[in-house]
Amino acid sequence: MLRDNLVEIALAWQSKFGVSPSITSSLSEYDAAMLIGMSEDQYSEYMQDKTAVSKGADFVFNGIRYQVKANRPSGKPGSFVTMVPKATNYEWDKLIWILYDKNYIMQEAWEWDVVDYKTAFDCKKRLSPKDYRKGRCLFMLKNIDND
């Protein structure tokens, strides 16, 4: 699978040069699309005319605009995730946040509707994993303290 090849190369690069190439955004958008039921062929077809930088939604499926955010700790001392990326606009319908482990294995994924997200976080400066965990769980590899 192409995703596995990309992860293998990124981890080899990190092992050799100390820092992984920036693949988290691309992987998380792909993984989010797979989580919500988009096929790999549908995702590929949708992405053909897109660029790496686009305002608002990262992809659209079944008429729903999705924004994707993700975190991945490097595995180095002190690299655990305490702060998560915040959406800077509301030109989407649903946001999916994904947390990976150091090997790009998905640990959890949470979904937010734009209205609920804006109500909960618009005035909040700093978001943590606990904030995103108040959304709808799409995937959880293991039990996470949700308090």
Side-chain angles (χ1 to χ4, degrees):
M1 172 189 239
L2 196 54
R3 182 199 187 282
D4 295 337
N5 293 343
L6 179 59
V7 167
E8 184 179 341
I9 290 168
L11 292 174
W13 183 280
Q14 179 177 312
S15 178
K16 175 80 174 177
F17 300 114
V19 177
S20 174
S22 299
I23 66 167
T24 305
S25 290
S26 295
L27 282 179
S28 64
E29 290 170 19
Y30 169 85
D31 287 342
M34 299 304 106
L35 273 176
I36 55 118
M38 196 174 201
S39 73
E40 192 170 272
D41 287 342
Q42 288 171 313
Y43 182 73
S44 175
E45 184 179 327
Y46 177 82
M47 296 302 290
Q48 291 305 308
D49 64 345
K50 306 302 180 269
T51 63
V53 179
S54 59
K55 186 176 181 181
D58 291 311
F59 65 90
V60 178
F61 182 58
N62 290 338
I64 299 171
R65 300 171 300 163
Y66 287 90
Q67 172 68 236
V68 181
K69 302 291 182 187
N71 291 91
R72 178 228 171 219
S74 68
K76 294 179 181 178
S79 72
F80 54 92
V81 175
T82 59
M83 188 171 115
V84 297
K86 183 178 175 183
T88 57
N89 69 68
Y90 300 110
E91 297 174 28
W92 43 269
D93 302 305
K94 293 184 181 282
L95 179 138
I96 296 174
W97 174 68
I98 297 175
L99 178 64
Y100 294 101
D101 71 4
K102 66 181 182 173
N103 295 312
Y104 298 98
I105 296 170
M106 190 183 314
Q107 301 298 299
E108 53 187 298
W110 300 86
E111 182 182 76
W112 283 84
D113 291 317
V114 68
V115 173
D116 294 337
Y117 185 95
K118 188 173 182 180
T119 300
F121 305 132
D122 192 49
C123 294
K124 193 165 183 170
K125 299 279 187 231
R126 186 180 195 279
L127 301 181
S128 74
K130 284 186 178 185
D131 290 314
Y132 276 155
R133 290 178 184 136
K134 294 174 185 169
R136 185 172 81 88
C137 184
L138 295 179
F139 176 84
M140 191 176 316
L141 187 61
K142 59 185 176 185
N143 285 333
I144 303 291
D145 180 12
N146 213 3
D147 298 344

